[in-house]
């Protein structure tokens, strides 16, 4: 092989290998990271979307259930159930009172499309629709009362008669789809069974809610992301399985009612659809350049297998456009460099021999993964070989430096986003929830004081309202405390005394749960720190252990000192923590407790307090059963100037 050919090969390698590394290493990795980042972002949007939709449905169900408890509704239900006990004037007065109340309520709650009262025989006696009352057109032979429609054979009425006090939610569907009929947008129907004090059936209150709030939530859920959102029904009913409950194109919604073929199942392979139906709650369907689907399942019906599939569809061409442009530019640059290398080989073939081979060997080592490989360039050498070696060294160092800077920037950006979200959440709660909540509790207290002692039922309801308001206030206060963690005030105190005081505070809870306490606490355990904050940590950890420990079991607490530290161990005999939850155990708002039993802030706040004292806290599953919590605190601490970002960063790195 001629020297010019060898030199051409060497120059080509020298110029192309870094670009090939950039192309097949960095660019491909960037493509994977874009995929992961897009998946993370859109699954976060799906989580938010699911929470908002669930909240809307729960609020609508609460509105419907609350209407069923209004006195004017209850009074008319009694008249409608026993019409023979009341004269016609009484019936008409209560029917008009109910009608006027429903009209006023619908005016104040625009999301209500229609409300109707159906008696025990399935006759619609009172109905208001879109701000207007509907006049009865049929006669009731027995009592002489007129009614609007007979719903006795409708499935929803039959189900409501046997539902007890459970509110029944209908399918999400169109109101009217008959040809030439007055078209009605999408809505959800809530059927509220009305029962008397003895639990006997008195009728059904049916509340139709517009679906516009669900639509607006889907429309705004992506922000500025270039994608499409859908709600698809997962149903055992083949007629409704796969239909679009929400689609940006209204013509593609509710295929079962409109008789169209627009379904998600028609866009997917049958195997992919079955994978989605039988798979996990959330997932992704990535088909290279063809389709990117991200989905999450929502169960709006607690008593039916029907689910909603929330879907975000992204266009791969848009998502990977910067990566594809970069790949094309690198290929063009690579081609240009190869051509230039050919010209240089002809010109410089006679000037390079051994140094070329040496440089090529170093490049090969670098390409094979020896990132520390560098060219040794003599100080007095200023020819092409020396310059090439320096250029290679600079390129390798730049790549290493860029990679480190990128990782640091990504980590900092993630932490900043989390802090921004927490700050906004805390501020929103402080201004939007706390003050109205206090007003509600104060008004409830004033109303309770104004009621006579004989009205026990209403007074109990108001006490329950105040109790639930106090629970909400504690949750709000926990969030605000997390958002503005205060600096500890360091004073010398005895940790043994603090531990014993804490156990004494919780002794009644231990006894009520039938948990045996086994403690081994050395005395004294003198240290410097904020006793109030550390007692908050102990209460959080011990309460978690009590809640996790079954009755008739033991809770082990020990504390001992070394030369420079105090070690505290709390071991319960519960079920332990799942392996997949350990990475999230200190995350704000993460909790494994049932809904309503915890805010997910206890361990986050405790983690921050321990870090501010210069200590550490670790959780691990015990060898036999339960969780072992180990707290290590310095006996002599200096004030740790850590803000919230640094605490989260320290936990992330740890």
């Amino acid at each position: 092989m001629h020297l010019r050919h060898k030199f051409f090969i060497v120059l080509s390698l020298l110029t192309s290998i870094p670009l090939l590394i950039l192309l097949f290493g960095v660019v491909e990795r960037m493509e994977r990271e874009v995929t992961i980042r897009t998946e993370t972002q859109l699954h976060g949007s799906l989580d938010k979307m699911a929470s908002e939709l669930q909240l809307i449905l729960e609020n609508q169900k609460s509105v419907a259930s609350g209407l069923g408890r209004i006195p004017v509704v209850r009074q008319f239900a009694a008249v409608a159930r026993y019409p023979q006990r009341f004269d016609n004037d009484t019936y008409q007065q209560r029917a008009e009172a109910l009608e006027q109340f429903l009209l006023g309520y619908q005016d104040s709650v625009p999301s209500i499309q229609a409300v109707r009262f159906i008696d025990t025989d399935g006759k619609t006696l009172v109905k208001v629709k879109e701000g207007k009352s509907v006049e009865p057109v049929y006669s009731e032979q027995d009592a002489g009362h007129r009614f609007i429609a007979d719903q006795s054979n409708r499935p929803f009425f039959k189900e409501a008669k046997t539902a007890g006090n459970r509110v029944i939610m209908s399918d999400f569907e169109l109101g009217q789809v008959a040809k030439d009929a007055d078209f009605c947008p999408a809505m959800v129907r809530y059927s509220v069974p009305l029962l008397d004090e003895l639990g006997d059936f008195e009728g059904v209150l049916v509340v139709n809610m517009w679906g516009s709030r669900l639509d607006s939530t889907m429309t705004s859920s992506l922000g500025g992301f270039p994608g499409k959102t859908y709600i698809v029904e997962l149903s055992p009913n083949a007629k409704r399985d796969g239909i679009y409950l929400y689609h940006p194109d209204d013509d593609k919604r509710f295929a079962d009612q409109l008789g169209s073929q627009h379904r998600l199942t028609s866009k997917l392979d049958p195997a992919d659809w079955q994978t989605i139906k039988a798979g996990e709650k959330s997932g992704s369907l990535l088909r290279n350049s063809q389709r990117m689907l991200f989905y999450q399942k929502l169960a709006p019906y607690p008593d039916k297998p029907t689910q909603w599939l929330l879907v975000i569809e992204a266009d791969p061409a848009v998502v990977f456009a910067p990566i594809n442009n970069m790949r094309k530019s690198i290929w063009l640059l690579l081609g240009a460099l190869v051509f230039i290398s050919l010209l240089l080989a002809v010109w410089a073939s006679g000037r390079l021999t051994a140094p070329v081979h040496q440089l090529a060997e170093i490049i090969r080592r670098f390409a094979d993964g020896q990132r520390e490989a560098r060219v040794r360039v003599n100080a007095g050498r200023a020819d092409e070989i020396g310059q090439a070696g320096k250029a290679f060294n600079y390129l390798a160092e730049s790549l290493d430096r860029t990679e480190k800077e990128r990782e640091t920037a990504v980590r900092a950006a993630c932490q900043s986003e989390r802090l921004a979200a927490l700050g906004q959440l805390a501020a929103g709660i402080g201004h939007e929830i706390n003050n109205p909540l206090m007003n509600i509790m104060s008004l409830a207290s004033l109303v309770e004081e104004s009621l006579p002692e004989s009205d026990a039922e209403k007074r109990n309801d108001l006490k329950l309202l105040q109790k639930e308001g106090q629970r909400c206030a504690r949750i709000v206060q926990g969030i605000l405390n997390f958002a503005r963690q205060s600096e500890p005030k360091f004073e010398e105190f005895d940790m043994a005394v603090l531990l014993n005081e804490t156990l004494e505070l919780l002794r009644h809870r231990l006894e009520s749960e039938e948990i045996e306490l086994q403690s081994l606490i050395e005395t004294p355990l003198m240290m410097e720190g904020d006793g109030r904050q550390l007692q908050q940590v102990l209460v959080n950890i011990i309460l978690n252990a009590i809640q996790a420990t079954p009755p008739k079991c033991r809770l082990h607490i020990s504390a001992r000192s070394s030369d420079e530290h105090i070690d505290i161990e709390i071991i319960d005999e519960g079920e332990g923590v799942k392996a997949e939850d350990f990475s999230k155990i200190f995350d704000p708002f993460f909790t494994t407790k049932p809904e309503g039993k915890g805010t997910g802030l206890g361990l986050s706040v405790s983690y921050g307090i321990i870090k501010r004292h210069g200590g550490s806290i670790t959780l691990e599953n015990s060898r036999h059963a339960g969780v072992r919590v180990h707290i290590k605190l310095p006996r002599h601490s200096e004030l740790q100037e850590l803000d919230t970002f640094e605490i989260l960063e320290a936990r992330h790195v740890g």
Side-chain angles (χ1 to χ4, degrees):
M1 182 180 295
H2 295 290
L3 181 59
R4 66 173 60 92
H5 297 157
K6 296 180 180 180
F7 186 58
F8 168 71
I9 294 174
V10 172
L11 282 180
S12 297
L13 290 174
L14 181 64
T15 55
S16 63
I17 285 181
L19 288 176
L20 291 174
I21 294 175
L22 183 64
L23 178 64
F24 296 106
V26 177
V27 174
E28 296 299 329
R29 182 170 181 177
M30 288 177 62
E31 183 173 350
R32 291 194 298 270
E33 290 179 351
V34 167
T35 302
I36 294 173
R37 186 166 62 248
T38 301
E39 191 169 6
T40 302
Q41 176 185 350
L42 295 187
H43 275 297
S45 298
L46 287 169
D47 288 337
K48 180 181 178 183
M49 188 189 306
S51 299
E52 292 180 358
L53 292 177
Q54 191 69 51
L55 181 60
I56 290 172
L57 296 176
E58 291 298 330
N59 287 343
Q60 291 182 348
K61 186 180 292 185
S62 298
V63 168
S65 178
L67 276 175
R69 296 192 295 269
I70 298 298
V72 68
V73 177
R74 311 300 305 184
Q75 292 169 3
F76 181 74
V79 173
R81 183 183 179 189
Y82 302 108
Q84 64 276 10
R85 299 182 183 179
F86 301 90
D87 57 35
N88 189 58
D89 291 339
T90 302
Y91 175 87
Q92 292 297 330
Q93 290 173 0
R94 295 195 179 180
E96 290 175 2
L98 175 59
E99 186 176 89
Q100 292 302 315
F101 169 77
L102 293 179
L103 286 171
Y105 193 84
Q106 187 180 33
D107 184 60
S108 63
V109 185
S111 59
I112 297 178
Q113 186 265 345
V115 185
R116 49 186 160 164
F117 177 90
I118 303 176
D119 66 7
T120 56
D121 295 325
K123 305 296 191 301
T124 302
L125 302 182
V126 176
K127 180 178 181 179
V128 298
K129 177 182 179 181
E130 300 176 13
K132 299 178 181 179
S133 60
V134 180
E135 295 296 329
V137 295
Y138 303 103
S139 295
E140 184 83 38
Q141 294 182 357
D142 295 337
H145 301 312
R146 298 170 67 82
F147 63 93
I148 299 168
D150 187 352
Q151 307 288 344
S152 59
N153 292 324
R154 295 291 297 274
F156 76 87
F157 176 74
K158 294 179 179 179
E159 184 179 2
K161 289 185 68 174
T162 60
N165 58 2
R166 176 170 52 87
V167 178
I168 301 169
M169 173 182 167
S170 73
D171 291 332
F172 188 34
E173 56 189 4
L174 296 177
Q176 296 286 344
V177 294
K179 186 176 181 180
D180 300 329
D182 183 17
F183 181 76
C184 183
M187 64 177 60
V188 179
R189 180 182 65 248
Y190 298 94
S191 302
V192 184
L194 303 176
L195 308 177
D196 63 9
E197 292 80 358
L198 299 178
D200 294 331
F201 181 67
E202 290 188 322
V204 180
L205 190 70
V206 180
V207 183
N208 292 357
M209 295 285 190
W210 293 115
S212 55
R213 288 191 62 193
L214 302 178
D215 292 355
S216 62
T217 298
M218 297 299 295
T219 303
S220 61
S221 59
L222 286 181
F225 187 86
K228 297 180 180 179
T229 57
Y230 314 122
I231 301 179
V232 180
E233 184 164 305
L234 301 175
S235 174
N237 183 357
K239 185 178 179 181
R240 291 185 61 88
D241 190 40
I243 66 170
Y244 291 106
L245 303 181
Y246 171 81
H247 193 287
D249 185 355
D250 290 339
D251 293 336
K252 296 183 178 181
R253 303 173 66 177
F254 304 107
D256 62 317
Q257 293 179 274
L258 299 180
S260 69
Q261 300 299 319
H262 298 295
R263 298 172 182 255
L264 181 61
T265 51
S266 63
K267 296 176 61 176
L268 301 179
D269 293 334
D272 289 338
W273 179 246
Q274 291 303 320
T275 299
I276 291 175
K277 291 189 66 174
E280 300 292 334
K281 179 181 179 182
S282 61
S284 307
L285 187 64
L286 308 178
R287 292 295 179 265
N288 299 326
S289 59
Q290 299 177 0
R291 179 175 292 115
M292 298 178 71
L293 291 181
F294 306 91
Y295 60 87
Q296 180 169 324
K297 297 176 184 177
L298 176 66
Y301 308 100
D303 54 347
K304 294 195 299 184
T306 301
Q307 293 181 304
W308 290 359
L309 186 71
L310 311 181
V311 181
I312 298 178
E313 181 176 10
D315 186 355
V318 176
V319 174
F320 297 114
I323 303 298
N324 294 332
N325 292 335
M326 182 182 296
R327 185 180 285 110
K328 292 178 182 178
S329 299
I330 292 175
W331 277 116
L332 290 174
L333 180 59
L334 183 60
L337 289 176
V338 170
F339 178 73
I340 293 173
S341 299
L342 177 60
L343 298 179
L344 289 176
V346 176
W347 174 75
S349 59
R351 301 184 59 182
L352 298 175
T353 54
V356 174
H357 296 288
Q358 180 183 4
L359 181 58
E361 178 61 25
I362 293 175
I363 294 175
R364 292 190 187 94
R365 288 166 49 199
F366 184 86
D368 291 338
Q370 297 184 21
R371 308 294 292 188
E372 71 279 4
R374 297 292 185 272
V375 177
R376 295 183 181 179
V377 181
N378 296 329
R381 184 163 189 170
D383 59 2
E384 293 81 1
I385 297 298
Q387 293 299 323
K390 292 179 182 178
F392 171 79
N393 293 343
Y394 176 76
L395 176 62
E397 292 170 358
S398 297
L399 289 174
D400 292 341
R401 183 169 59 255
T402 301
E403 181 68 17
K404 293 178 181 178
E405 291 173 353
R406 187 197 61 77
E407 292 178 355
T408 302
V410 170
R411 184 165 60 249
C414 292
Q415 296 294 350
S416 297
E417 290 174 0
R418 292 173 67 186
L419 281 178
L422 285 175
Q424 292 173 2
L425 176 62
I429 289 175
H431 290 88
E432 300 298 333
I433 297 180
N434 217 18
N435 292 337
L437 185 60
M438 294 299 103
N439 291 338
I440 291 172
M441 293 170 60
S442 299
L443 289 175
S445 178
L446 292 174
V447 173
E448 180 186 3
E449 293 175 359
S450 67
L451 291 174
E453 294 292 332
S454 60
D455 201 346
E457 181 179 356
K458 293 182 180 178
R459 293 177 69 89
N460 289 336
D461 289 343
L462 288 170
K463 288 180 180 179
L464 179 60
L465 175 61
Q466 295 178 63
K467 179 180 179 182
E468 294 299 315
Q470 291 170 358
R471 187 166 73 89
C472 292
R474 289 195 297 272
I475 295 174
V476 171
Q477 189 60 44
I479 297 174
L480 293 176
N481 289 339
F482 174 77
R484 53 169 188 264
Q485 296 180 9
S486 60
E487 296 292 343
K489 298 179 181 179
F490 283 81
E491 298 176 352
E492 188 176 30
F493 70 98
D494 189 347
M495 175 57 78
V497 174
L498 186 66
L499 261 172
N500 288 322
E501 290 177 353
T502 304
L503 292 175
E504 189 62 31
L505 288 173
L506 301 174
R507 186 169 300 280
H508 176 72
R509 182 67 178 271
L510 288 164
E511 292 174 354
S512 64
E513 297 292 341
E514 300 182 8
I515 296 174
E516 178 183 354
L517 174 65
Q518 292 187 351
S519 61
L520 182 60
I521 302 173
E522 291 183 7
T523 56
L525 294 174
M526 304 303 297
M527 64 170 290
E528 296 175 0
D530 191 326
R532 180 183 60 83
Q533 290 191 8
L534 290 176
Q535 189 173 45
Q536 180 182 357
V537 173
L538 294 173
V539 170
N540 283 339
I541 302 300
I542 296 174
L543 276 178
N544 284 346
I546 292 174
Q547 293 171 354
T549 302
K552 309 295 184 182
C553 292
R554 291 183 293 273
L555 178 63
H556 308 268
I557 298 178
S558 64
R560 58 186 180 277
S561 65
S562 60
D563 293 338
E564 298 295 333
H565 295 87
I566 290 178
D567 294 289
I568 302 172
E569 284 189 356
I570 302 171
I571 304 174
D572 63 57
E573 293 185 359
E575 296 180 357
V577 178
K578 297 179 180 178
E580 60 269 25
D581 291 340
F582 271 108
S583 61
K584 303 174 289 185
I585 200 71
F586 291 112
D587 283 354
F589 312 112
F590 175 79
T591 179
T592 59
K593 298 176 183 177
E595 183 177 353
K597 296 294 185 180
T599 63
L601 291 172
L603 286 179
S604 299
V605 172
S606 301
Y607 185 92
I609 292 173
I610 294 298
K611 280 296 180 183
R612 289 173 182 271
H613 281 75
S616 64
I617 177 172
T618 58
L619 277 79
E620 62 182 8
N621 282 332
S622 182
R623 179 178 302 176
H624 302 291
V627 173
R628 172 182 174 270
V629 181
H630 179 221
I631 300 174
K632 188 173 185 179
L633 293 167
R635 296 171 65 91
H636 305 285
S637 297
E638 297 180 359
L639 182 60
Q640 303 296 313
E641 299 292 342
L642 294 175
D643 57 16
T644 306
F645 177 84
E646 292 171 317
I647 291 173
L648 290 173
E649 179 68 11
R651 177 173 58 77
H652 177 78
V653 175

